[in-house]
């Protein structure tokens, strides 16, 4: 059984990953739709920017977040009066997780939207549906498995996020110390390998659970399934 | 009354089409790639013309001079696509309801029960498109379009992906629509038998231009028909290689996957690739290998399909080895020989029918 401390770490990790995904999912869906369906000047550049966190060292992303969203950073300074603080808070960990998982999420959703026959959207238009209605009644439901997959990938990525998090919000127990950070801390202290192992096993269990959940969701929502 | 006068540019392909029609069913007829679909897409508002004007009744849908371009969802132009395009994640009932719900504010043109009974959809309302036959899908697509209260219905080759019995079935339903609902229909097709059966007026399109328009019989009798559709030039192109020349009789033997084609002398060296065009009307069919006959080319063949269930003429698609060829025969002959897909026959081609003009160098 996990101890209270371990449970706290797991809950924090879940909270960070959940909110990271929840905040970025709508943005990722919009981005994926634009990349899959729209043509505009600078699209290649935009595409590259979206994928940047995938190829950059996470530490670099974390440092960029620190520079931009730190208390003295250009964005952090604007947000602080509104009561939104990222630096050295769990919200910052969620932000780091969201940024690192974003390309994975966009990729999966974009592939799913690409696979939706655009002519179905055209057919819906001729039946009187405006663009936004077409998106919510045709495109999104048909791309649903991809949305679930994308969200899961990002969630798993968020549970494992280390470099950007530790650089941006440091390793503060109870605030920003997620599972990987805690495991790392234990491995750095002599004689605490058992705790590290314990947390690692918990981490594996969490990932498997997320995988099973997404599999179930996709199966349940698969369009065109036999039901007669 | 439908008025269309538009110019569309698609890369190097330009469409300049102007026609007016005032008939229950107007057929846009022409070869594949002539620009028919692009024209109906413009009427639906899916493709934006570079310039021009489109009006249905007294409603202007597009007018570049006046800056009018009604969005497709506001045009009330129904569209039945070749492959139905039913929403796969919805039941038949939900597909039917999709447009009906969105057009509830305009006067109901035909009610749901009427459409369901007219198209015989009652028993399949709970099914998903994946569990429908091709003909059922197309019927649902027609019903879905009708229930969106259109003032004009576009049908783009609605039978093209169906087999012969399904085609006949849907044709009958379209006739029913024409006779019962009084909804104007623009019907795109490259199948003459569909046009002659359904349409009252036709617009003949070739290379993005209207080359003839008017009543069906009138247009069919016109010389443009023959010149632009190649109706009488249907056939197959066979990829061959020169096997050898027969100096004594001035013949050339062309080897292809399926046999050797004897043709009058071709100016090519042995081994050179040559493309031979065999016109469908030059191919005859025999059930057994004939003897005592002047025809030089007799190939064992298999019937792949028969097209043209209407009218006097049938195109029989054959496979000689791996090579497809087409035989154009009368429907009477096809019936007497009991031709059906899979039948083993012999294809007869007169050597002299493949003249210099039918042979090209690949």
């Amino acid at each position: 059984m996990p101890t209270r401390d371990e449970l706290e770490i797991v809950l924090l990790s879940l909270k960070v990953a959940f909110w990271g995904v929840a905040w970025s999912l709508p943005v990722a869906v919009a981005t994926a739709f634009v990349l899959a369906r729209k043509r505009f000047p600078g699209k290649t550049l935009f595409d590259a920017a979206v994928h940047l966190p995938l190829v950059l060292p996470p530490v670099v992303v974390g440092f960029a977040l620190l520079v931009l969203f730190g208390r003295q950073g250009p964005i952090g300074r604007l947000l602080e009066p509104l009561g939104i603080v990222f630096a050295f808070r769990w919200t910052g960990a969620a932000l780091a997780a969201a940024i690192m998982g974003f390309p994975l999420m966009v990729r999966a959703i974009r592939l799913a939207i690409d696979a939706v026959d655009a002519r179905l959207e055209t057919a819906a238009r001729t039946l009187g549906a405006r663009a936004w209605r077409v998106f919510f009644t045709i495109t999104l439901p048909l791309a649903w498995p991809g949305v679930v997959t994308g969200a899961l990938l990002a969630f798993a990525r968020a549970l494992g996020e280390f470099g950007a998090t530790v650089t941006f919000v440091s390793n503060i127990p109870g605030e920003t110390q997620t599972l990987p950070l805690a495991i790392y801390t234990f491995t750095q202290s002599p004689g605490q390998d058992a705790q590290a192992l314990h947390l690692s096993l918990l981490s594996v269990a969490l990932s498997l659970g997320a995988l099973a959940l997404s599999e179930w969701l996709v199966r349940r929502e698969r369009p065109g399934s036999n039901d007669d | 009354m439908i008025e269309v006068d538009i110019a569309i540019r698609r890369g190097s392909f330009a469409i300049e089409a102007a026609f007016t029609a005032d008939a229950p069913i107007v057929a846009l007829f022409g070869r594949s790639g002539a620009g028919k679909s692009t024209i109906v897409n413009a009427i639906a508002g899916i493709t934006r013309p570079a310039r021009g004007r489109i009006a249905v009744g007294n409603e202007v849908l597009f007018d570049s001079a006046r800056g009018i371009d009604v969005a497709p969802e506001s045009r009330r132009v129904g569209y039945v696509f070749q492959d139905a395009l039913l929403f796969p994640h919805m039941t038949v009932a939900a597909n039917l309801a999709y447009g009906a719900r969105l057009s509830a504010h305009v006067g109901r043109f035909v009610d749901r029960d009427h459409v369901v009974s007219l198209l015989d959809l009652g028993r399949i309302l709970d099914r998903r498109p994946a569990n429908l036959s091709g003909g059922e899908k197309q019927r649902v697509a027609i019903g879905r379009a009708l229930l969106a209260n259109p003032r004009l219905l576009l049908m783009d080759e609605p039978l093209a992906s169906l087999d012969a019995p399904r085609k006949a079935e849907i044709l009958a339903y379209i006739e029913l629509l024409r006779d019962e609902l009084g909804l104007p229909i623009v019907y795109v097709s490259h199948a003459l038998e569909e046009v002659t059966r359904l349409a009252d007026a036709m617009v003949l399109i070739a290379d993005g231009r209207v080359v003839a328009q008017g009543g069906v019989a009138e247009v069919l009798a016109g010389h443009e028909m023959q010149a632009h559709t190649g109706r009488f030039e249907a056939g197959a192109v066979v990829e061959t290689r020169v096997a050898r020349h027969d100096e004594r009789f001035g013949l050339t033997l062309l080897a292809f996957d399926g046999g050797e084609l004897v043709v009058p002398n071709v100016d090519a060296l042995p081994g050179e690739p040559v493309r031979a065009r065999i016109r469908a009307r030059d191919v005859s069919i025999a059930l057994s290998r004939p003897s005592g006959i002047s025809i030089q080319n007799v190939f064992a063949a298999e019937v792949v399909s028969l097209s043209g269930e209407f009218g006097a003429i049938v195109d029989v698609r054959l496979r000689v080895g791996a090579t497809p060829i087409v035989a154009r025969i009368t429907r009477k002959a096809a019936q007497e020989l009991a031709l059906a897909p899979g039948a083993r026959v012999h294809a007869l081609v007169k050597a002299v029918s493949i003249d210099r003009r039918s042979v090209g160098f690949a």
Side-chain angles (χ1 to χ4, degrees):
Chain A
M1 275 304 289
T3 64
R4 262 191 72 129
D5 282 355
E6 284 170 353
L7 202 63
E8 200 175 299
I9 290 166
V10 167
L11 286 178
L12 176 69
S13 289
L14 288 175
K15 181 167 82 168
V16 163
F18 174 81
W19 286 109
V21 170
W23 285 336
S24 54
L25 189 59
V27 186
V29 169
T31 306
F33 181 78
V34 164
L35 285 174
R37 287 285 191 260
K38 304 288 176 192
R39 270 195 262 167
F40 54 91
K43 182 174 168 179
T44 316
L45 210 63
F46 180 60
D47 198 3
V50 166
H51 283 88
L52 214 49
L54 207 58
V55 289
L56 281 179
V59 176
V60 173
V61 175
F63 181 63
L65 287 174
L66 190 60
V67 169
L68 291 172
F69 287 88
R71 288 234 153 120
Q72 301 306 314
I75 302 176
R77 216 176 328 167
L78 289 177
L79 292 177
E80 186 154 7
L82 305 172
I84 303 169
V85 178
F86 288 109
F88 307 109
R89 300 276 174 86
W90 73 268
T91 49
L95 178 65
I99 300 276
M100 294 307 293
F102 193 70
L104 294 171
M105 200 151 37
V106 170
R107 258 183 114 75
I109 300 170
R110 179 189 179 171
L111 283 177
I113 292 177
D114 274 335
V116 175
D117 189 344
R119 294 174 315 146
L120 290 173
E121 295 165 3
T122 303
R125 295 288 297 272
T126 68
L127 291 168
R130 287 178 198 289
W132 64 268
R133 183 184 288 274
V134 173
F135 178 75
F136 282 107
T137 57
I138 308 295
T139 319
L140 195 56
L142 289 175
W144 178 247
V147 175
V148 173
T149 307
L152 170 86
L153 280 173
F155 189 77
R157 179 71 185 74
L159 283 180
E161 172 31 49
F162 181 84
T165 309
V166 80
T167 313
F168 180 31
V169 292
S170 186
N171 187 355
I172 307 165
E175 184 68 35
T176 66
Q177 193 179 69
T178 56
L179 263 172
L181 273 62
I183 294 169
Y184 177 77
T185 308
F186 282 128
T187 58
Q188 296 305 300
S189 330
Q192 303 206 302
D193 287 354
Q195 281 99 319
L197 179 65
H198 210 188
L199 283 180
S200 298
L201 290 175
L202 272 177
S203 181
V204 169
L206 274 183
S207 303
L208 287 178
L211 202 63
L213 179 70
S214 90
E215 198 57 29
W216 179 75
L217 276 173
V218 170
R219 215 172 278 271
R220 202 177 56 119
E221 294 284 344
R222 182 164 297 162
S225 55
N226 286 7
D227 52 5
D228 63 330
Chain B
M1 183 76 160
I2 304 149
E3 298 164 68
V4 174
D5 179 2
I6 49 172
I8 303 168
R9 217 162 302 279
R10 273 284 173 88
S12 62
F13 186 59
I15 290 175
E16 296 257 2
F19 62 87
T20 61
D22 196 1
I25 297 189
V26 185
L28 296 192
F29 183 75
R31 281 188 225 201
S32 310
K36 308 181 296 284
S37 295
T38 312
I39 293 170
V40 288
N41 282 346
I43 299 175
I46 300 165
T47 298
R48 184 199 298 240
R51 55 141 210 90
R53 183 171 184 279
I54 298 168
V56 175
N58 43 25
E59 199 91 17
V60 178
L61 299 179
F62 181 82
D63 190 337
S64 57
R66 288 160 57 197
I68 298 173
D69 183 10
V70 178
E73 62 267 26
S74 307
R75 291 197 175 196
R76 292 182 55 207
V77 170
Y79 202 146
V80 176
F81 302 83
Q82 179 180 326
D83 40 359
L85 294 180
L86 299 181
F87 305 133
H89 57 306
M90 301 181 188
T91 61
V92 168
N95 268 280
L96 291 174
Y98 192 87
R101 208 158 31 97
L102 297 170
S103 61
H105 55 286
V106 302
R108 187 135 304 277
F109 154 75
V110 56
D111 69 35
R112 182 176 179 277
D113 293 345
H114 190 185
V115 168
V116 167
S117 72
L118 195 71
L119 294 169
D120 206 5
L121 302 174
R123 276 166 305 140
I124 57 172
L125 285 173
D126 296 330
R127 292 216 219 141
R128 297 266 181 140
N131 303 320
L132 298 178
S133 71
E136 286 168 337
K137 277 183 194 159
Q138 211 50 281
R139 266 152 53 201
V140 175
I142 293 170
R144 184 178 69 172
L146 288 177
L147 286 171
N149 294 300
R151 53 182 150 223
L152 172 70
L153 189 61
L154 306 173
M155 305 185 104
D156 188 3
E157 309 252 8
L159 309 185
S161 51
L162 303 180
D163 57 18
R166 296 290 90 68
K167 271 185 191 168
E169 171 198 325
I170 299 295
L171 266 176
Y173 282 113
I174 297 172
E175 280 177 325
L176 207 60
L177 290 186
R178 176 190 63 189
D179 301 338
E180 279 213 15
L181 301 181
L183 175 71
I185 297 175
V186 174
Y187 189 95
V188 173
S189 181
H190 64 250
L192 202 54
E193 58 273 14
E194 293 169 22
V195 173
T196 48
R197 177 159 164 190
L198 291 174
D200 313 280
M202 80 185 268
V203 178
L204 180 59
I205 294 168
D207 298 324
R209 264 151 232 280
V210 173
V211 290
Q213 59 176 305
V216 169
E218 183 190 332
V219 173
L220 288 182
H223 68 278
E224 295 91 354
M225 193 63 200
Q226 207 158 337
H228 289 286
T229 66
R231 166 69 179 164
F232 303 101
E233 287 298 318
V237 172
V238 181
E239 304 280 1
T240 73
R241 262 169 206 287
V242 175
R244 59 194 165 86
H245 295 287
D246 182 346
E247 310 288 14
R248 194 160 144 228
F249 290 110
L251 298 174
T252 300
L253 277 80
L254 302 173
F256 69 102
D257 186 349
E260 275 189 348
L261 189 65
V262 181
V263 301
N265 195 24
V266 174
D267 245 352
L269 293 172
E272 268 192 82
V274 167
R275 215 171 254 159
R277 182 170 159 75
I278 304 176
R279 281 168 298 213
R281 60 173 179 176
D282 292 327
V283 181
S284 310
I285 294 177
L287 289 184
S288 53
R289 184 172 283 274
S291 58
I293 191 168
S294 71
I295 288 178
Q296 292 293 307
N297 295 300
V298 179
F299 304 113
E302 187 189 337
V303 176
V304 176
S305 66
L306 291 89
S307 72
E309 314 69 52
F310 313 103
I313 290 166
V314 175
D315 284 343
V316 183
R317 285 178 197 286
L318 302 166
R319 198 161 33 218
V320 176
T323 308
I325 67 171
V326 187
R328 174 160 290 175
I329 61 174
T330 59
R331 195 150 61 88
K332 181 163 178 283
Q335 199 156 33
E336 284 171 358
L337 297 183
L339 295 184
R344 321 239 25 133
V345 297
H346 288 85
L348 280 47
V349 185
K350 273 175 84 93
V352 297
S353 72
I354 302 164
D355 57 19
R356 206 144 290 177
R357 278 179 307 155
S358 349
V359 178
F361 296 101

